[in-house]
Amino acid sequence: MPRVVILCVLLTVRAIPGPATAGTLIDHVWSGHPVNFALLTERGHQFIAYYDANRRLTVAGRRLDSDTWRRVQPPGVPVRARQRESNVMGWDSHNDLVLALDRDGCLHVSGNMHNDPLVYYRTSQPFAVETLERVDRMTGARERSCTYPVFFRNAGGDLLFRYRDGSSGRGSDRYNIYDPARRAWRPVINTPLLDGEGARNAYALDPVLGPDGRFHLVWVWRDTPNNATNHTLSYARSRDFVHWETSRDETLLLPIRAASGDVIDPAGIRQGLTNMGLNLGFDARQRPVVVYHRYDAHGRSQAFIARPTATTAGSAPAWELRQLSNWNFRWALSGPGSIASEVTLGTPQLAADGSLLVDFWTRKAGAGRWRLHADTLECTATLPARSTALPAELAQAASSYPNMEVQLATSRSGGRLWVLRWETLPRNRDRPRETVPPPSELRLYEFSDTAADTSDPTE
């Protein structure tokens, strides 16, 4: 696999302590629009990937027992269609950064891609950011139009990488697996997993490892870049990412297409399905439970929950659907580009008595928490929104520049919680702004992990 060694200046960044809630100043970063940074804490080390004040991809790392950060800015290559280098961010809020450690402790970095050629780096030595190298390919196939990179591990601890090949409305999801002995990637399967057939693409949650030992996947299909064309909420599960099945143990032939998936809700286009706010949990019988947003019969925004039902032999697969909310507003989903969420639904959580708890937040109807009956999924109580013991100022924009928002990334390890914080203007459908605020501070905060816990007031 061809590699390009990074020739860069290695910077040592000392932690700058402040008041108890001031955190550690890491750097100053771009604030013209939001994009997800990455924070990884694992095996006694910590890493951050972010865009600096000049929108340049930056990676910092340290040992957890040290306050000295080592920082590199890996080089890119020209991206002619963007008129920039591959390591410099444009105006696109899709260009998230992701990090992972392989079995040997080598760091993998990817991101800054929205229908762009693969951007990928890897260290040649364990835990050493100064050995980061640009690698111009993984498998060498279908890597010219990449979006939504995700690193994750399978049940055996192998490192996997998922990305979309193609564009919104014309894309497919592909999965690679890493062999640390060969320092090489290969496709998990020889086809896409979710295939849009050139007519659509899937917007999927990250695969979720369930209590049954299987990975569960939920997605919506979209026919065009217009987010109003989402439709057909679907599901599949697998133990090995090679063999996939429905919620009724029926084998799914690969690739999975719109006509062959396990349909949770057949909602059509312009019926309010969105890839934002979609979440997956499990009930006391280890069944998947999916919460999502769509419109009701009157065109109003509502939260729904779904769970597979028991069926008799030969009957059609079915999911039990229930409306959870009774809101009187409409989140008007339309158009392309990054948009801010107006409805957020939390992961269904299993309570000690077998009931399910679902957090919700809306821009127009406030926030709270539903308690759902274990057998019927009926809402038995609406509770106040969960509180947090984290300092309130973490969520409050400190900049005097108008309309600034707080951005956060979190990481947990060894009973500790780290929160990475910076401020930006809101999403702008990936369009440039005429003026931007000054760079904002990128700060890291450390807490006991219990500081972020939120108690159930009824238990």
Side-chain angles (χ1 to χ4, degrees):
M1 183 178 297
R3 295 176 295 179
V4 177
V5 178
I6 289 176
L7 300 177
C8 63
V9 178
L10 175 64
L11 302 174
T12 300
V13 183
R14 290 265 174 204
I16 303 176
T21 59
T24 298
L25 179 64
I26 302 297
D27 205 343
H28 288 80
V29 298
W30 173 254
S31 59
H33 71 285
V35 64
N36 289 332
F37 296 168
L39 174 63
L40 175 67
T41 310
E42 190 177 317
R43 290 178 250 176
H45 292 78
Q46 191 165 60
F47 304 94
I48 303 172
Y50 62 95
Y51 298 105
D52 74 356
N54 297 313
R55 296 193 272 190
R56 186 170 296 274
L57 173 59
T58 307
V59 181
R62 65 160 180 153
R63 291 181 56 92
L64 280 179
D65 59 5
S66 170
D67 63 357
T68 299
W69 290 84
R70 300 170 74 81
R71 184 174 66 187
V72 295
Q73 294 189 313
V77 294
V79 183
R80 294 179 182 176
R82 303 294 187 190
Q83 298 184 333
R84 59 169 172 78
E85 296 283 302
S86 62
N87 62 335
V88 177
M89 177 183 61
W91 283 94
D92 199 326
S93 290
H94 292 86
N95 289 22
D96 299 349
L97 296 171
V98 292
L99 295 170
L101 289 173
D102 62 28
R103 290 183 185 273
D104 296 331
C106 289
L107 183 69
H108 297 245
V109 183
S110 186
N112 200 27
M113 303 178 298
H114 187 198
N115 309 333
D116 290 308
L118 177 70
V119 177
Y120 170 56
Y121 302 89
R122 184 175 66 233
T123 62
S124 60
Q125 298 178 26
F127 311 111
V129 295
E130 64 270 25
T131 69
L132 206 62
E133 300 171 341
R134 183 177 65 80
V135 185
D136 63 9
R137 52 177 273 174
M138 281 188 171
T139 69
R142 311 298 304 189
E143 295 176 351
R144 303 303 300 170
S145 183
C146 302
T147 311
Y148 302 128
V150 179
F151 289 114
F152 66 99
R153 292 186 179 89
N154 64 15
D158 300 304
L159 183 63
L160 278 75
F161 180 76
R162 184 186 81 179
Y163 67 100
R164 185 183 74 196
D165 167 33
S167 60
S168 180
R170 296 188 63 180
S172 299
D173 280 14
R174 293 183 177 270
Y175 286 70
N176 296 333
I177 188 168
Y178 185 66
D179 181 352
R182 297 176 53 242
R183 292 179 62 81
W185 294 87
R186 63 172 174 82
V188 176
I189 54 178
N190 293 324
T191 70
L193 176 59
L194 304 176
D195 183 10
E197 303 176 272
R200 63 191 64 85
N201 77 283
Y203 282 87
L205 292 177
D206 294 348
V208 178
L209 180 59
D212 58 356
R214 293 179 284 201
F215 282 87
H216 300 253
L217 191 63
V218 176
W219 68 93
V220 298
W221 293 103
R222 184 185 293 184
D223 286 359
T224 75
N226 185 340
N227 58 46
T229 64
N230 286 336
H231 62 90
T232 316
L233 182 63
S234 303
Y235 167 88
R237 67 189 182 196
S238 174
R239 294 187 184 277
D240 58 8
F241 292 93
V242 175
H243 305 92
W244 290 82
E245 63 186 22
T246 71
S247 59
R248 305 300 186 274
D249 300 322
E250 300 161 332
T251 298
L252 284 167
L253 298 179
L254 301 183
I256 302 172
R257 300 186 169 104
S260 61
D262 184 353
V263 175
I264 298 173
D265 188 326
I269 63 172
R270 295 180 175 81
Q271 292 185 3
L273 275 183
T274 173
N275 48 301
M276 305 170 70
L278 183 64
N279 248 315
L280 167 67
F282 301 90
D283 68 9
R285 294 170 57 185
Q286 300 186 351
R287 293 176 294 184
V289 181
V290 181
V291 291
Y292 61 101
H293 168 280
R294 63 162 293 179
Y295 300 144
D296 62 16
H298 303 287
R300 297 173 300 196
S301 285
Q302 305 297 350
F304 287 80
I305 190 165
R307 181 174 61 187
T309 58
T311 58
T312 58
S315 62
W319 284 70
E320 172 188 6
L321 309 181
R322 180 177 287 275
Q323 182 176 320
L324 297 178
S325 60
N326 190 27
W327 297 323
N328 192 27
F329 66 88
R330 179 184 175 93
W331 178 12
L333 293 159
S334 65
S338 301
I339 61 173
S341 177
E342 296 186 17
V343 176
T344 299
L345 301 173
T347 301
Q349 300 289 332
L350 182 62
D353 62 358
S355 64
L356 290 169
L357 300 168
V358 177
D359 296 301
F360 66 90
W361 171 91
T362 72
R363 177 168 293 180
K364 296 183 178 179
R369 197 181 205 197
W370 292 306
R371 179 181 289 279
L372 311 180
H373 192 278
D375 296 327
T376 66
L377 297 181
E378 180 182 0
C379 181
T380 60
T382 300
L383 311 172
R386 292 191 296 172
S387 60
T388 175
L390 294 177
E393 56 264 35
L394 282 185
Q396 298 171 355
S399 173
S400 60
Y401 199 92
N403 302 318
M404 293 290 277
E405 297 180 343
V406 173
Q407 312 298 332
L408 301 174
T410 61
S411 180
R412 289 178 161 86
S413 181
R416 307 299 294 172
L417 167 71
W418 287 268
V419 179
L420 190 65
R421 182 191 184 279
W422 68 105
E423 297 182 13
T424 73
L425 288 176
R427 294 172 182 265
N428 195 42
R429 291 190 181 268
D430 309 322
R431 298 172 300 192
R433 289 186 162 100
E434 293 184 1
T435 60
V436 296
S440 67
E441 291 184 341
L442 181 68
R443 286 188 173 271
L444 183 67
Y445 303 80
E446 180 182 356
F447 305 94
S448 168
D449 203 359
T450 57
D453 288 346
T454 50
S455 61
D456 175 9
T458 66
E459 293 185 342

